[in-house]
Amino acid sequence: MNLILLGAPGAGKGTQAEIICEKLNIPTISTGNIIRAALKNGTEMGLKAKEYMDAGKLVPDDVVIGIIKERLLEDDCQSGFILDGFPRTIPQAEALDAMEIQIDCVLSIEVPDEKIVARMSGRRVCPCGASYHTEYKKPKQDGICDICGAKLTIRKDDEPATVLDRLHVYHEQTEPLKDYYAKTGKLRTVVGQEEVADTTKLTLAALGI
Ligand code: AMP
């Protein structure tokens, strides 16, 4: 299955992606994680992306389109993939169409802005890419990653003021993708619930898996 996850930052796309990834054994491709890894490794692309990311703005389309083009060619994507955080603009969606890769389903996870702001303040991340929440997805040991044992931190772009900027960017540039994909008949919508397990039930039902 080739799947796109849409939703505001903090709507729970990453968590649902992990669950689907495990169930279907297909990779999750998160442009945010790829960019953060590039930044950590000090690559030119990572350094260029940093100023946009820190300000809660979108990285230019040509940069992320280049990342996705390369990544989707890799072997592990040939039997399916989950796109988490791409596309985020109409030109990115058009570039994906131009790659002539069949998309089976676009799942939009809907969470009201007030809830997003409250949720983001509890998000904790690990340099290995794992993500937790102080209330909804606690690590086994407080502040420590279950997977690699590193100390969890707050993402710079999860600071409240930046979250508001990111939500603004989402509504302006990413939300129009719902109409774009509704027209193809591939859009399915899930209302994000308080409990991850409840959202997961809705997600799996929407995907028929
Ligand atoms: P995320 O981890 O998906 O919330 O992404 C973190 C940040 O990476 C975003 O706020 C953007 O600055 C950048 N980013 C990730 N994916 C994209 C994309 N598809 N288009 C533009 N910028 C992106």
Side-chain angles (χ1 to χ4, degrees):
M1 182 184 284
N2 296 341
L3 177 67
I4 293 174
L5 293 185
L6 281 184
K13 296 189 299 296
T15 304
Q16 294 303 309
E18 273 176 32
I19 293 161
I20 303 164
C21 160
E22 210 169 288
K23 201 160 172 78
L24 297 182
N25 198 22
I26 52 176
T28 296
I29 299 161
S30 153
T31 35
N33 281 352
I34 295 173
I35 296 167
R36 278 185 288 275
L39 183 58
K40 203 169 116 198
N41 293 330
T43 70
E44 201 187 318
M45 182 274 277
L47 294 173
K48 238 201 268 173
K50 182 177 166 30
E51 56 180 300
Y52 296 97
M53 227 170 165
D54 284 353
K57 296 204 177 96
L58 293 185
V59 171
D61 285 336
D62 57 334
V63 176
V64 276
I65 290 167
I67 291 173
I68 285 292
K69 268 191 182 157
E70 254 180 49
R71 183 63 186 88
L72 290 181
L73 285 177
E74 286 180 33
D75 284 348
D76 64 336
C77 295
Q78 304 318 310
S79 47
F81 54 79
I82 306 159
L83 290 179
D84 166 16
F86 183 95
R88 260 173 152 112
T89 64
I90 298 279
Q92 290 178 21
E94 288 170 347
L96 187 61
D97 288 345
M99 288 177 221
E100 294 187 352
I101 295 168
Q102 175 72 28
I103 297 297
D104 300 301
C105 180
V106 179
L107 189 76
S108 174
I109 305 178
E110 309 278 331
V111 176
D113 285 6
E114 318 80 76
K115 283 200 181 156
I116 298 266
V117 175
R119 275 189 193 184
M120 299 284 258
S121 62
R123 180 150 76 175
R124 299 290 179 273
V125 294
C126 176
C128 80
S131 184
Y132 301 88
H133 195 280
T134 48
E135 229 178 288
Y136 304 111
K137 195 181 166 205
K138 296 180 184 172
K140 290 192 187 96
Q141 194 187 338
D142 201 24
I144 302 292
C145 179
D146 291 348
I147 299 167
C148 72
K151 208 166 162 244
L152 302 179
T153 58
I154 301 179
R155 255 168 64 171
K156 195 162 183 242
D157 58 350
D158 279 349
E159 309 277 347
T162 316
V163 169
L164 292 179
D165 288 340
R166 291 167 70 199
L167 278 172
H168 179 73
V169 168
Y170 169 75
H171 290 303
E172 202 150 87
Q173 301 200 55
T174 307
E175 218 167 13
L177 289 176
K178 286 198 269 176
D179 268 350
Y180 183 92
Y181 286 115
K183 285 185 190 138
T184 67
K186 289 178 181 157
L187 183 75
R188 287 173 221 170
T189 301
V190 154
V191 177
Q193 307 291 308
E194 276 306 307
E195 296 292 331
V196 171
D198 293 333
T199 307
T200 303
K201 273 189 209 145
L202 297 175
T203 296
L204 300 181
L207 298 177
I209 54 176

